[in-house]
Amino acid sequence: MADQALVVIDLQNDFCPGGALAVTGGDEIVPLVNDMIRHADHVVLTQDWHPAGHSSFASSHPGAQPFTMIEMPYGQQTLWPDHCIQGSLGSDFHSGLAWTKAELVIRKGFRPAIDSYSAFFENDHTTPTGLAGYLRERGIDTVTLVGLATDFCVGFSALDAVSQGFRTTVRLDACRGIDLNGSLDAMLRRMRDAGVMLEDHLSD
Ligand code: VGL
Ligand code: ZN
C-alpha cells in the first residue's frame, strides 16, 4: 500500500463566511474534512500566513482595488483584500476544524514580496516550501487535497503535487472556490489536463 497524506489547504477564518476573503460556503466543508481527517493515515495542514502590508494586498498598492491584477517581478498577481495576517483571528484555523491530528503545518505567503498559493512552491514557481521534501523523506507518494479555495490554493497545490511526482486527488466535495472571472472552470480543466484525479463523492 502506498503511503498517503491528506493535505488540508487554508481552512482558516478569513476564507470562511464573515472573513476578510470569504469563500462562499467555505465553512460547509468542515464536517466532511473532519471525517476525512479521522480516516487519514497522515494529515498535513497549510496556513496562509501573511505579514501586514503584504505585496498581494491591494492596500499595499496606492489606488489599486482588490480582485484586480498587477504585474509582479515573478508574473501576474491578483490583488486581494488584507487577509490571514500572521497571528490575527482571521489567520486561525476554523474553530470547528479537528486539527490536532495534523503532523505538520506548512505556513506560506510569509515573504513580503511574493505570494504563495501552492503548498509546494511560492508564486515564482521556484521557491519551495519544503513540503515535497518532507513527504518524500517520509515515504509518502500519494496525496489527497481538500480545503479553500479550489481555484487558487487547492488548485495550484494540486498542479505542483502532480509535477513533483505525487499521485494526486482533489476531493471537490471537500473544497469550495472563489470563482473570479471563470477561474474555477479554468482550474478544473488545468487540473484534469495535468493528471490530477478529481473526485466528487456527492455526485457519485
Ligand atoms: C488564497 C487568495 C489569496 C487561497 C490565499 O487560500 O486560495 N487565495 N490567498
Ligand atoms: Zn493569501
Side-chain angles (χ1 to χ4, degrees), residues 69-181:
M69 308 280 288
I70 59 159
E71 191 64 32
M72 297 281 254
Y74 54 83
Q76 291 271 311
Q77 169 72 48
T78 303
L79 293 176
W80 303 105
D82 292 20
H83 67 278
C84 295
I85 294 178
Q86 296 169 354
S88 66
L89 270 176
S91 73
D92 280 353
F93 293 116
H94 184 285
S95 61
L97 180 66
W99 53 263
T100 52
K101 189 175 161 182
E103 296 168 353
L104 177 74
V105 178
I106 284 277
R107 287 179 171 158
K108 60 188 182 58
F110 51 76
R111 289 183 177 78
I114 179 164
D115 205 5
S116 186
Y117 295 149
S118 164
F120 292 91
F121 291 97
E122 304 202 350
N123 286 8
D124 60 0
H125 304 296
T126 54
T127 306
T129 63
L131 180 57
Y134 171 88
L135 295 173
R136 269 187 216 114
E137 196 164 353
R138 295 198 54 198
I140 293 166
D141 59 9
T142 302
V143 292
T144 298
L145 304 183
V146 299
L148 307 172
T150 320
D151 39 347
F152 288 92
C153 291
V154 175
F156 285 105
S157 297
L159 294 174
D160 283 345
V162 165
S163 75
Q164 288 295 301
F166 296 96
R167 279 175 55 83
T168 307
T169 299
V170 170
R171 271 286 298 271
L172 293 172
D173 50 327
C175 297
R176 291 293 183 275
I178 294 174
D179 202 11
L180 200 58
N181 306 316

Side-chain angles (χ1 to χ4, degrees), residues 14-34:
D14 269 344
F15 297 122
C16 291
L21 180 37
V23 180
T24 305
D27 55 341
E28 293 169 5
I29 64 174
V30 171
L32 175 57
V33 170
N34 287 345

